[in-house]
Amino acid sequence: MKALKILIGLIVLVVIAVVVIGMLFLNNINQLTVDTVQDQGSQLLKTEVKLQAANIELTKGKGSLQNLTVANPSGFSQANALEMGAVTLQIDPESLLGDVKVIKEISVDGARLLAEQKNLKDTNLQALLDNIQQSAGPTEDTAPAEPGPEVRLMVEKFRFTNGQLNLKSAQFGERTINLPTIALDNIGDKTTGLTPEQLGQAVVAPLLEQVKAAVTKELTELAKDKAEEKLKEKLKEKLSDKIGGEAVDKLKSIFGR
């Protein structure tokens, strides 16, 4: 579930980058989107965020992102914590001049999430969330940022397909869970829209509910299988002890002992 919060946070960052940069620097939007996502994402998560390429055509109202990855935080394996192979956007170009920027569709296909446990309590996803909190928290040496123009967003369609969650833990070993297809419609409205934070929350809540159900079902079945295996092992041990004892008694009777 923590992985989804990080994932949606990055998606919202991408959307804001595309909308704001597109309004200001239309001619160089692709490279600026890549640079913004990598720089801001890496600062936020305190680990390497990479975006291989962006192909945004605002005049046609469409765009795509290729291979967005987030490296594991320090102290964990060299595998990526998050990988998004394909993210596509459809934008209403006319809305960029209005108060509410309308994203007609966000499609995330083939996302790969890694939940890795260390020392029975520490996880890579919690480490990333801790990094986000530290990055967002104010410090005594940091002056308040000047308020800028508020970005208001509305998403007509959000689609999450073919996602997988890879669990690695001391208790269950390694397990891959296929995440359900998730479809959300009309997030916000064209009149008032949502702030980026509100948009993230509106997407995360229903996503978490559906993913939580899938993960809980998978882990429940896994725990049941393990319990059955242990029961079979105990029955086998008892049966083996019983057979062994009867065999010894028979040998003793044969030799008159």
Side-chain angles (χ1 to χ4, degrees):
M1 273 34 75
K2 297 169 183 175
L4 264 295
K5 292 183 180 180
I6 300 168
L7 174 64
I8 298 305
L10 285 175
I11 293 172
V12 172
L13 174 63
V14 169
V15 171
I16 296 171
V18 170
V19 170
V20 176
I21 293 171
M23 293 169 60
L24 301 176
F25 306 101
L26 184 60
N27 292 332
N28 199 23
I29 185 173
N30 291 329
Q31 188 57 49
L32 286 171
T33 298
V34 171
D35 293 342
T36 299
V37 170
Q38 291 186 156
D39 294 344
Q40 296 299 318
S42 298
Q43 290 180 26
L44 182 67
L45 296 170
K46 298 184 184 298
T47 189
E48 187 175 44
V49 174
K50 286 185 177 182
L51 177 58
Q52 185 179 43
N55 182 21
I56 311 298
E57 299 178 79
L58 282 183
T59 56
K60 296 182 179 179
K62 64 180 182 180
S64 63
L65 310 172
Q66 288 80 44
N67 298 326
L68 176 62
T69 62
V70 177
N72 248 344
S74 177
F76 292 87
S77 73
Q78 298 299 311
N80 288 324
L82 298 174
E83 296 180 353
M84 283 187 278
V87 179
T88 58
L89 307 172
Q90 290 185 7
I91 304 165
D92 181 358
E94 295 182 359
S95 71
L96 296 179
L97 301 176
D99 295 331
V100 179
K101 322 305 176 188
V102 178
I103 313 299
K104 299 181 73 65
E105 184 170 0
I106 301 174
S107 177
V108 182
D109 185 64
R112 300 290 181 266
L113 318 175
L114 171 64
E116 183 178 324
Q117 185 184 54
K118 182 182 71 172
N119 300 330
L120 299 179
K121 60 177 182 178
D122 299 325
T123 68
N124 61 331
L125 301 180
Q126 184 59 54
L128 288 174
L129 287 176
D130 291 343
N131 289 345
I132 291 175
Q133 293 173 353
Q134 292 173 11
S135 299
T139 62
E140 295 180 358
D141 298 331
T142 303
E146 292 293 329
E150 186 177 52
V151 177
R152 309 291 296 189
L153 302 167
M154 186 265 184
V155 177
E156 293 183 349
K157 292 182 180 180
F158 180 93
R159 299 293 183 264
F160 183 92
T161 56
N162 300 314
Q164 286 188 341
L165 175 63
N166 188 20
L167 296 174
K168 290 184 178 180
S169 69
Q171 181 180 5
F172 296 111
E174 186 169 347
R175 189 84 168 180
T176 298
I177 299 174
N178 292 322
L179 299 177
T181 295
I182 298 168
L184 304 174
D185 296 317
N186 297 321
I187 309 169
D189 61 70
K190 295 182 180 181
T191 304
T192 57
L194 299 173
T195 65
E197 181 179 3
Q198 290 170 337
L199 174 62
Q201 292 173 348
V203 174
V204 166
L207 276 177
L208 292 184
E209 288 300 321
Q210 296 187 53
V211 173
K212 181 180 178 181
V215 173
T216 300
K217 178 181 178 182
E218 188 77 17
L219 293 180
T220 299
E221 292 177 354
L222 183 59
K224 181 180 177 181
D225 291 342
K226 284 186 173 292
E228 290 178 352
E229 288 179 4
K230 289 183 178 180
L231 179 60
K232 289 179 180 178
E233 289 177 0
K234 288 183 178 180
L235 290 174
K236 185 177 180 180
E237 289 176 0
K238 289 183 178 180
L239 183 59
S240 177
D241 292 341
K242 182 178 180 181
I243 293 174
E246 291 177 349
V248 170
D249 291 340
K250 287 182 178 180
L251 286 173
K252 286 182 178 180
S253 65
I254 290 173
F255 293 99
R257 295 182 181 180

